[in-house]
Amino acid sequence: MFKKLFLIACLMTSLFAFEKENIQKQMSDNIHQVLNILKDTNITKKDKSEKIITILDKSFDYNIMSMLALGRAWKTISNEQREEFSNVFIKRLKESYIDKLELYNDQKIKIANLKENKSRLILNTILVGKKENYPIDYKFYENRKNNQWYVYDVNILGVSIIQTYRKQFDEYLKEKTIDDLIKYLKEKNLKA
Amino acid sequence: MRKITILFLFLSFFYACNAQNFENSNKDDVAINQFDDISNEFQDSYEDDFDPLSGYNRVMTSFNDGFYVYVSRPVIKTYKDVVPSTARKGVSNFFTNLGFPIRFINNLLQLKFKNSWEELQLFVLNTTFGIAGLINVAEENNFNLRYHDEDFGQTLGYWGVGEGFHIVLPILGPSNLRDTFSLFVDEYASPLKPEDKSFYLTDSTDKSIGLKTFKTVNSTSYTYPVYDKLRKDAIDLYPYLKDFYNKRREEQIKE
């Protein structure tokens, strides 16, 4: 009986989830919503960012993104440092992502296709620019506990955001401490 | 039995309503479980790369960046503000059309015959009906023809030639041994090379450099905001740009 109950409960959860079959449609909806917000001239830049972030929050797994960006150093730092790093990094990440989207204000976007690569999914999208097309790929992993899919990395022009941060952080931490890095990111956030 | 069913439905409903919260609270430890797994997809540090010119490259990167900020960017911005968009588009079309021999040959060398054929059609159409390439006739009429940008560096990459070490070129920016060598090879197929033959447009180096600068200023008037935004993410500009260049080239070769 309990098993059945659990099963049904699980099935019902999926009504709210980001499932494999829905990824393409839902992401496409999200991206179009984001572009509509960007195009809207009636809202301030700050409101725009907030609205976009609300949409992104549904599908981005920021926790795993901060872990992946910090790489091997993640395991060596304290819980407080982890939390502090995540906070500043996520802020940086969101800002940098929105900043890039602003490039394509008045252009179209095409959702190309969804590829399966081992246990990950990659959604290819193309921003159609005036002179060039800019590919942006969203990479999803399946969360083992609730079987939902989250974005863990974004490739812009074929280059992984997490990868570039990771290499840079790793290099930075060879000479400096995690607290320096947190301080550095904080300053960068203030400037942006 | 009925009671159980009701309880069941009630619980399920309750559970579903809380699904969002449930999922958020669980993200943390799940993430830790799968962290190592996903982590393998990424690399740490820049160290393992063979970079004999790193000292020079660093200096040249800061020179280029300074040159960009204080010289090229203001020029390009002014150009963009002054020259109407239609004119810039025409110039861009014109130079893209001139790049035909390079793309055509390199598509052939990579056995991409369909792409070469498309390039040839575009060249004939745009050169004749598009007034020496000023108008992209195919694009205006929604013909299903598009450019396939290939250079000799990509051709070598296609056939498995490694990139060699990284070289930052003055003003032109990041490159590598293979791509720098390829620049000279592609030059022979470019109508902008200075030589006294009918295939080439100019017979003097000055004119050639002038045209090439014009071409670059015009095309960069479209792309410089991308560089502006990307360089904001850099902690250390040299390795960042180097990595970006390498990844980008890998992608272009794969295409």
Side-chain angles (χ1 to χ4, degrees), chain B residues 87-141:
Chain B
R88 285 196 297 134
K89 178 84 183 161
V91 172
S92 159
N93 287 342
F94 175 75
F95 281 115
T96 308
N97 196 48
L98 280 186
F100 158 76
I102 299 176
R103 290 189 303 268
F104 181 73
I105 292 168
N106 285 301
N107 272 302
L108 279 184
L109 290 174
Q110 293 175 41
L111 314 177
K112 293 169 178 166
F113 301 116
K114 201 175 152 269
N115 295 357
S116 306
W117 172 233
E118 254 183 79
E119 284 287 343
L120 188 65
Q121 286 172 288
L122 274 165
F123 179 68
V124 172
L125 264 174
N126 293 341
T127 308
T128 51
F129 297 107
I131 323 167
L134 283 175
I135 304 163
N136 186 347
V137 181
E139 194 187 59
E140 303 285 325
N141 294 289

Side-chain angles (χ1 to χ4, degrees), chain A residues 32-43:
Chain A
H32 283 112
Q33 275 183 49
V34 168
L35 288 191
N36 281 335
I37 294 167
L38 283 171
K39 275 182 213 156
D40 196 338
T41 45
N42 294 325
I43 31 182

